[in-house]
Amino acid sequence: MIIRTLTPEDFQQVIELGNLVHGEGYLDMPSLENIYQMGIKNNINAHFIAENEQLSSVHQAQEQSKIAGFRLTYAAGNWPIDKWCTPQKWPVSPDQMCYFKCNTVAQELRGQGIGSQLLQASIKAVKAQGATAGVSHLWKQSPKNSAVGYFTHAGGKLIKEHPSRWNQQQDNSNYLCVICGDDCHCTACEMVIEFN
């Protein structure tokens, strides 16, 4: 598996994988372009993708690679703190806190440490940007609660649970949850990792 920084040339494949894993409407080109800008600070990109080497060689003739997973991360100070965040419980000030937006791995490649590798790549980048901790909203209903599990294993600590965090009525989105459909009641676990 090759871990490298996300580039605009990867956007279409990232959108397709994100919508397949999380549900239709999870990402689109305008939202991903905005997310991409929020992850760059001091000329350092905090977004990463994992390429499946075997699949990449098959697709090289088409000048594209097969993305096995991706990690989208906002740089500290580059993202809006909304009502789903609890900064009064954070161990560092908001201007030192990056935001781990999402970690996505293709279903057939889960359980191989790809998500952890992507997280570690982003942590290295945001530390270089100046962040001292990172917060995320982990999908509690992920298969076998794997999202919370891998983040906990990486040192994440639970701050607060937010029921119905991604409900479509909250943000008037067209998102279709892979579990709930168009009335999502999945819980977001707000978790924080402090960096060493």
Side-chain angles (χ1 to χ4, degrees):
M1 201 60 59
I2 300 168
I3 306 293
R4 65 169 175 81
T5 54
L6 171 71
T7 67
E9 290 74 32
D10 303 313
F11 284 5
Q12 189 58 46
Q13 290 183 74
V14 165
I15 291 166
E16 289 170 9
L17 180 58
N19 290 350
L20 178 67
V21 171
H22 300 289
E24 196 60 41
Y26 184 74
L27 286 172
D28 59 25
M29 196 59 76
S31 68
L32 185 54
E33 288 170 349
N34 186 47
I35 288 167
Y36 184 74
Q37 292 305 316
M38 289 195 286
I40 298 172
K41 186 175 184 180
N42 301 330
N43 294 316
I44 299 167
N45 183 347
H47 307 296
F48 289 87
I49 64 166
E51 288 182 327
N52 188 321
E53 295 168 278
Q54 288 101 10
L55 293 174
S56 292
S57 62
V58 171
H59 293 284
Q60 279 177 350
Q62 301 166 342
E63 294 188 16
Q64 66 180 30
S65 61
K66 177 62 176 167
I67 293 178
F70 62 89
R71 152 64 66 201
L72 302 176
T73 303
Y74 301 155
N78 278 12
W79 58 282
I81 296 171
D82 61 22
K83 67 180 182 179
W84 306 104
C85 295
T86 317
Q88 64 272 22
K89 292 187 177 182
W90 294 349
V92 301
S93 64
D95 63 336
Q96 295 179 306
M97 184 72 79
C98 75
Y99 185 78
F100 296 115
K101 165 71 174 144
C102 73
N103 202 35
T104 304
V105 177
Q107 182 176 354
E108 66 274 15
L109 297 169
R110 292 181 194 148
Q112 300 178 28
I114 297 168
S116 295
Q117 291 176 58
L118 289 164
L119 176 63
Q120 291 308 314
S122 279
I123 287 174
K124 184 177 179 183
V126 293
K127 285 171 71 174
Q129 291 174 342
T132 58
V135 64
S136 187
H137 290 95
L138 286 299
W139 183 30
K140 188 174 183 178
Q141 284 75 22
S142 64
K144 300 179 185 174
N145 198 14
S146 59
V148 171
Y150 102 89
F151 208 76
T152 301
H153 183 72
K157 305 241 183 303
L158 180 65
I159 299 295
K160 185 176 181 180
E161 289 193 5
H162 301 275
S164 300
R165 160 66 179 90
W166 296 286
N167 189 274
Q168 292 80 354
Q169 293 181 13
Q170 299 287 348
D171 59 8
N172 297 314
S173 73
N174 293 322
Y175 169 59
L176 292 176
C177 174
V178 293
I179 294 174
C180 311
D182 64 0
D183 188 22
C184 180
H185 291 283
C186 291
T187 297
C189 294
E190 182 182 356
M191 299 181 74
V192 168
I193 295 177
E194 287 188 83
F195 308 145
N196 297 327

